Amino acid sequence: MFVNTEKKYIWKNSSFHKWDDTNIHILSHTLHYGTGVFEGVRAYMTNKGPAIFRLHDHTKRLFGAASKISLKIPFSENELNKAQCDTLNKNDLKEGYLRPIVYLGNEGLGLRAKDLSVNVAIAAWEWPSYMDPEAKKNGISVIKSSHKQYENPLHSGNKIIGTYFSNTMALHEALDNGADEAIMLDKNGYISEGSGENVFIVKNQTIFTPTPENCLNGITRQSVIQIAKDLKMQIYEKNIDYDDLLNADEAFFTGTAVEITPITIVDNKPVNNGKRGNITKELQDKFQQIISGEDSSYESWLTYTN
Ligand code: PMP
């Protein structure tokens, strides 16, 4: 993702800095050992102005992940919520992607991370579509990854920097093999997730998604489960075999970046007829109404930035 950074600012430890000048020291503990946490958050334009989708939930997850690796964030959740709104406004963004990151300083060298400063930065940029813009309609292709999601048990449920190594490897493997994304399996051989997405399948009008024990409990995942229930669809969390995906009527990914994106090809074979399914489309349409503020019953999921 390349961004025109000339007029952009990054929030760092309470003040704004020019994008190109917001650097970390080469000896930051996080750079060497992956000791940090991050979030991926999106803002959308609504008829009441720009709003961040489920901001409070994202910030809560950031703090949860930080506490898993004993990082004490020197700000409150409210302060970081406000900082994320401020970052969008400062960059004059009506819509976009936000990347808060918590990382350790370089006051001491070596593995011992005691007494290092805990720093927070927030960047924001335009990000209309993560995949090919047509992907929402036509779907994307996946392959089964040789990387397993249990390679680092701390990963599950947390956005901890170091644990993303296997996800990156899985995505690169997929891209090298001509697919758009990877499907990673969990320690029991069931479907876990994509490199940065949760997986859903539809069979006989019923929706299934893996239980969150062995994948990130994505905020989009939780939203889609709620939306499906509200639409009176049948939806269950359960272990999903890879064959269930191969034989699904529909399949789709969810995530802040991909939103709801159909999976139409698995291991070079079409899912059903290879076209986006009706349930996927219905969920996409409702999700679109919600993020654009058109469905006021989900208003609590939106935080207006000014
Ligand atoms: N799984 C992984 C590994 C992820 O990195 C993400 C992106 N945060 C997701 C699933 C989807 O989570 P969310 O809907 O909260 O973006």
Side-chain angles (χ1 to χ4, degrees), residues 34-167:
T35 43
V37 298
F38 68 105
E39 264 305 321
V41 190
R42 253 191 200 247
Y44 297 98
M45 189 56 185
T46 74
N47 47 14
K48 289 202 224 157
I52 302 180
F53 184 66
R54 302 198 71 167
L55 171 63
H56 297 261
D57 298 307
H58 279 284
T59 305
K60 237 180 218 20
R61 188 169 69 185
L62 183 78
F63 277 76
S67 83
K68 269 269 156 53
I69 58 167
S70 306
L71 287 189
K72 195 162 169 357
I73 299 178
F75 297 96
S76 67
E77 287 185 31
N78 278 346
E79 284 169 327
L80 291 193
N81 286 337
K82 178 170 184 311
Q84 289 173 81
C85 293
D86 292 348
T87 305
L88 276 176
N89 293 335
K90 176 83 178 168
N91 287 290
D92 208 13
L93 286 166
K94 312 279 176 253
E95 305 202 287
Y97 185 81
L98 285 149
R99 168 50 57 88
I101 181 166
V102 181
Y103 62 95
L104 290 173
N106 59 298
E107 294 81 4
L109 308 181
L111 207 53
R112 184 183 297 255
K114 291 273 174 257
D115 302 325
L116 299 181
S117 62
V118 179
N119 302 273
V120 183
I122 303 167
W125 61 91
E126 300 86 353
W127 204 1
S129 117
Y130 179 58
M131 303 268 178
D132 174 339
E134 289 294 295
K136 293 266 171 54
K137 182 161 177 280
N138 298 335
I140 59 167
S141 60
V142 297
I143 57 163
K144 192 200 289 186
S145 177
S146 65
H147 298 275
K148 305 292 184 296
Q149 195 49 302
Y150 60 83
E151 283 166 8
N152 194 327
L154 256 185
H155 183 283
S156 194
N158 300 292
K159 289 182 78 74
I160 296 169
I161 294 174
T163 64
Y164 266 79
F165 179 71
S166 40
N167 295 43

Side-chain angles (χ1 to χ4, degrees), residues 30 44 46 48 60 93 104 121 129 131 135 176 202 205 216 243 268 278 286-287 293:
T30 306
Y44 297 98
T46 74
K48 289 202 224 157
K60 237 180 218 20
L93 286 166
L104 290 173
S129 117
M131 303 268 178
D176 288 348
V202 181
Q205 303 294 310
L216 189 78
D243 276 356
N268 297 313
N278 293 338
K286 179 48 86 183
F287 188 72

Side-chain angles (χ1 to χ4, degrees), residues 69-294:
I69 58 167
S70 306
L71 287 189
K72 195 162 169 357
I73 299 178
F75 297 96
S76 67
E77 287 185 31
N78 278 346
E79 284 169 327
L80 291 193
N81 286 337
K82 178 170 184 311
Q84 289 173 81
C85 293
D86 292 348
T87 305
L88 276 176
N89 293 335
K90 176 83 178 168
N91 287 290
D92 208 13
L93 286 166
K94 312 279 176 253
E95 305 202 287
Y97 185 81
L98 285 149
R99 168 50 57 88
I101 181 166
V102 181
Y103 62 95
L104 290 173
N106 59 298
E107 294 81 4
L109 308 181
L111 207 53
R112 184 183 297 255
K114 291 273 174 257
D115 302 325
L116 299 181
S117 62
V118 179
N119 302 273
V120 183
I122 303 167
W125 61 91
E126 300 86 353
W127 204 1
S129 117
Y130 179 58
M131 303 268 178
D132 174 339
E134 289 294 295
K136 293 266 171 54
K137 182 161 177 280
N138 298 335
I140 59 167
S141 60
V142 297
I143 57 163
K144 192 200 289 186
S145 177
S146 65
H147 298 275
K148 305 292 184 296
Q149 195 49 302
Y150 60 83
E151 283 166 8
N152 194 327
L154 256 185
H155 183 283
S156 194
N158 300 292
K159 289 182 78 74
I160 296 169
I161 294 174
T163 64
Y164 266 79
F165 179 71
S166 40
N167 295 43
T168 307
M169 292 294 98
L171 178 59
H172 288 179
E173 180 186 44
L175 297 175
D176 288 348
N177 285 285
D180 299 309
E181 252 299 348
I183 298 285
M184 301 177 79
L185 302 185
D186 69 16
K187 59 179 177 291
N188 302 313
Y190 296 114
I191 287 179
S192 167
E193 59 188 340
S195 70
E197 304 86 9
N198 291 111
V199 180
F200 288 72
I201 64 166
V202 181
K203 189 73 187 174
N204 300 328
Q205 303 294 310
T206 305
I207 309 168
F208 300 98
T209 193
T211 60
E213 279 79 43
N214 297 309
C215 63
L216 189 78
N217 189 4
I219 287 165
T220 324
R221 172 191 185 278
Q222 296 170 46
S223 307
V224 164
I225 291 174
Q226 185 62 52
I227 295 166
K229 287 181 178 163
D230 293 346
L231 291 173
K232 306 275 181 278
M233 293 172 170
Q234 295 291 317
I235 183 158
Y236 298 99
E237 297 173 72
K238 73 169 191 81
N239 292 328
I240 298 179
D241 283 316
Y242 196 75
D243 276 356
D244 297 336
L245 172 64
L246 289 168
N247 297 316
D249 297 335
E250 303 180 29
F252 58 89
F253 274 136
T254 66
T256 299
V258 295
E259 299 167 315
I260 301 173
T261 294
I263 299 169
T264 45
I265 297 176
V266 179
D267 295 337
N268 297 313
K269 289 184 280 291
V271 174
N272 197 356
N273 61 7
K275 297 209 164 26
R276 171 176 64 178
N278 293 338
I279 289 183
T280 308
K281 176 160 188 326
E282 204 179 328
L283 290 167
Q284 283 179 318
D285 290 347
K286 179 48 86 183
F287 188 72
Q288 186 57 39
Q289 282 175 11
I290 294 169
I291 58 180
S292 58
E294 284 165 39

